[in-house]
């Protein structure tokens, strides 16, 4: 990034007496010396001031089905205006978006103002904006301002996140954020340390904070053979979700495919996904799903009370077949989530 670029000062950081800064945006809480960047690669200390280098700059823009995020209980059947930048505060060895998450190529970023982004979302007929593809936490100032404007235009707002945000940063954006689609990559800290370069507890804490803040929460766990897919670990994760969040929180168990620095591990067998789905049901999860496989009945939504089919799904397409607004048409039970399209 050229030194003559317009700079945007970051928020949520503290200045040290020696010219260094401490970033309070994610749970790494990087201590950044003059001329250096945080782990994310996009927040830089210049002269004792921390700058958000990717503010107002994007690497990816698309109109996606909301089911692609995946979100199954938040405006199903609608599209979401999706934006991505570059950088990440994780170093996942299996990242499928590594070409942007691990990139430091600022030259190919495109400028997009907050107002223009919201206008494009409205103009494309989308019901929401999603910050996705790479970690949105490190885009904090940009996403918060866009989310606030989007809500004024009656758009939903979605974080597709690894959940490593600090309590203060999540509190800052919470008034403007509706949906928190969080990866719980494993239910053991050893996996987080060795595979992601992070820790588990901050992810669990932010997920609980988002839930308590009345955001719509859905979790995703990519099951990697031999690393995080044991029945015992899946059961422990399900018990945590039911106990700390609630049985109504949708849980997605998705198939791993070899990529990036983890090409020597085979894809997840469908049987492992089905076993995890069954465990979730045993532990009281109302809405477990499996993903990255197509035409499987465990992608459909059934009423947690009477079992009636509510939403059919095929790939990223969905069709509401048994819903009356947000209620089961068969038994009248209220189905947790946001099912009524905004007008």
């Amino acid at each position: 990034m050229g030194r003559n670029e317009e700079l945007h000062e970051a928020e949520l950081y503290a200045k040290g007496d020696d010219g260094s800064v401490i970033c309070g945006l994610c749970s790494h809480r990087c201590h950044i010396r003059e001329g250096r960047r945080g782990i994310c690669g996009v927040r830089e200390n210049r002269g004792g001031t921390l700058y958000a280098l990717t503010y107002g700059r994007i690497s990816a823009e698309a109109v996606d089905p909301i089911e692609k995020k995946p979100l199954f209980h938040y405006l199903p059947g609608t599209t979401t205006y999706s934006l991505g930048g570059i950088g990440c505060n994780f170093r996942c060895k299996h990242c499928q978006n590594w070409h942007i998450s691990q990139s430091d190529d600022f030259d190919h970023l495109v400028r997009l103002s907050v107002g223009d982004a919201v206008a494009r979302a409205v103009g494309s007929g989308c019901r929401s904006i999603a910050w996705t593809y790479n970690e949105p936490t490190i885009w904090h100032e940009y996403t918060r301002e866009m989310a606030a404007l989007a809500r004024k235009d009656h758009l939903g707002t979605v974080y597709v996140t690894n959940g490593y945000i600090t309590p203060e940063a999540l509190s800052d954006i919470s008034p403007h954020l509706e949906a928190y689609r969080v990866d719980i990559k494993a239910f053991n800290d050893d996996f987080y340390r060795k595979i992601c370069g992070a820790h588990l507890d901050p992810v669990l804490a932010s997920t609980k904070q988002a839930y308590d803040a009345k955001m719509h929460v859905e979790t995703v766990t990519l099951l990697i053979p031999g690393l995080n897919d044991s029945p015992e670990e899946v059961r422990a994760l399900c018990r945590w979700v039911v106990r700390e969040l609630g049985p109504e929180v949708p849980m997605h168990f998705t198939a791993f495919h070899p990529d990036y620095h983890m090409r020597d591990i085979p894809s997840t067998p469908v049987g492992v996904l089905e076993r995890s789905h069954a465990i979730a049901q045993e532990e009281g999860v109302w809405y477990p799903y499996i993903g990255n496989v197509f035409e499987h009945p465990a992608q459909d939504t059934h009423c947690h009370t009477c079992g009636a089919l509510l939403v059919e799904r095929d790939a990223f397409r969905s069709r509401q077949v048994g819903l009356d607004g947000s209620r089961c048409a068969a038994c009248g039970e209220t189905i947790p989530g946001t099912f009524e399209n905004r007008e």
Side-chain angles (χ1 to χ4, degrees), residues 38-331:
I39 288 173
C40 64
V42 299
R43 301 174 84 79
E44 183 175 301
N45 179 356
R46 296 187 183 180
T49 298
L50 188 65
Y51 290 99
L53 302 183
T54 54
Y55 178 91
R57 309 177 78 192
I58 67 170
S59 69
E61 175 190 34
V63 172
D64 288 329
I66 194 69
E67 287 82 6
K68 189 176 180 180
K69 298 306 134 187
L71 280 166
F72 281 9
H73 286 237
Y74 182 77
L75 299 175
T78 67
T79 54
T80 184
Y81 179 68
S82 301
L83 293 175
I86 60 171
C88 189
N89 50 357
F90 277 19
R91 296 292 181 266
C92 297
K93 295 180 180 180
H94 55 292
C95 182
Q96 296 182 342
N97 284 337
W98 58 269
H99 56 290
I100 62 171
S101 72
Q102 305 305 315
S103 173
D104 60 358
D105 182 7
F106 290 87
D107 292 336
H108 288 86
L109 294 178
V110 176
R111 291 199 175 275
L112 180 64
S113 73
V114 166
D116 285 347
V118 173
R120 290 185 187 187
V122 172
S124 64
C126 291
R127 295 290 186 176
S128 60
I129 296 179
W131 298 279
T132 180
Y133 307 134
N134 73 311
E135 177 50 46
T137 295
I138 63 176
W139 230 2
H140 180 78
E141 299 82 6
Y142 185 53
T143 62
R144 188 201 61 223
E145 292 173 21
M146 197 185 304
L149 185 59
R151 293 292 295 276
K152 291 180 180 178
D153 277 335
H154 308 291
L155 291 170
T157 49
V158 178
Y159 254 25
V160 178
T161 179
N162 62 29
Y164 221 57
I165 192 169
T166 60
E168 57 267 35
L170 187 53
S171 293
D172 188 48
I173 197 170
S174 285
H176 315 295
L177 195 59
E178 277 195 338
Y180 195 77
R181 212 292 285 138
V182 59
D183 290 308
I184 302 182
K185 296 177 181 290
F187 204 62
N188 73 85
D189 194 64
D190 192 55
F191 179 100
Y192 268 89
R193 288 189 295 105
K194 293 180 178 178
I195 305 300
C196 307
H199 292 282
L200 170 61
D201 283 350
V203 177
L204 300 182
S206 79
T207 304
K208 181 71 162 64
Q209 182 180 346
Y211 178 83
D212 290 344
K214 309 301 182 184
M215 292 184 204
H216 176 83
V217 175
E218 298 192 25
T219 72
V220 173
T221 303
L222 185 78
L223 295 176
I224 305 176
L227 292 181
N228 66 347
D229 65 338
S230 73
E232 296 77 15
E233 184 168 336
V234 170
R235 192 174 299 278
L237 170 59
C238 293
R239 287 177 176 174
W240 182 87
V241 168
V242 171
R243 182 181 69 249
E244 299 295 332
L245 307 181
E248 79 283 2
V249 171
M251 296 184 69
H252 302 258
F253 299 98
T254 58
F256 163 84
H257 301 290
D259 208 336
Y260 196 37
H261 295 317
M262 203 175 281
R263 297 179 182 271
D264 56 343
I265 295 178
S267 298
T268 312
V270 173
V272 171
L273 301 175
E274 292 172 334
R275 181 185 69 195
S276 300
H277 180 271
I279 289 171
Q281 289 180 314
E282 292 169 6
E283 293 301 327
V285 177
W286 290 353
Y287 298 104
Y289 297 101
I290 68 174
N292 290 347
V293 294
F294 298 126
E295 298 182 356
H296 195 288
Q299 294 182 321
D300 296 336
T301 298
H302 293 263
C303 176
H304 64 277
T305 298
C306 74
L309 178 63
L310 305 177
V311 183
E312 287 183 330
R313 295 185 179 86
D314 176 16
F316 299 127
R317 296 184 298 274
S318 69
R319 185 168 69 96
Q320 296 185 22
V321 297
L323 280 170
D324 181 8
S326 60
R327 294 182 179 274
C328 172
C331 71

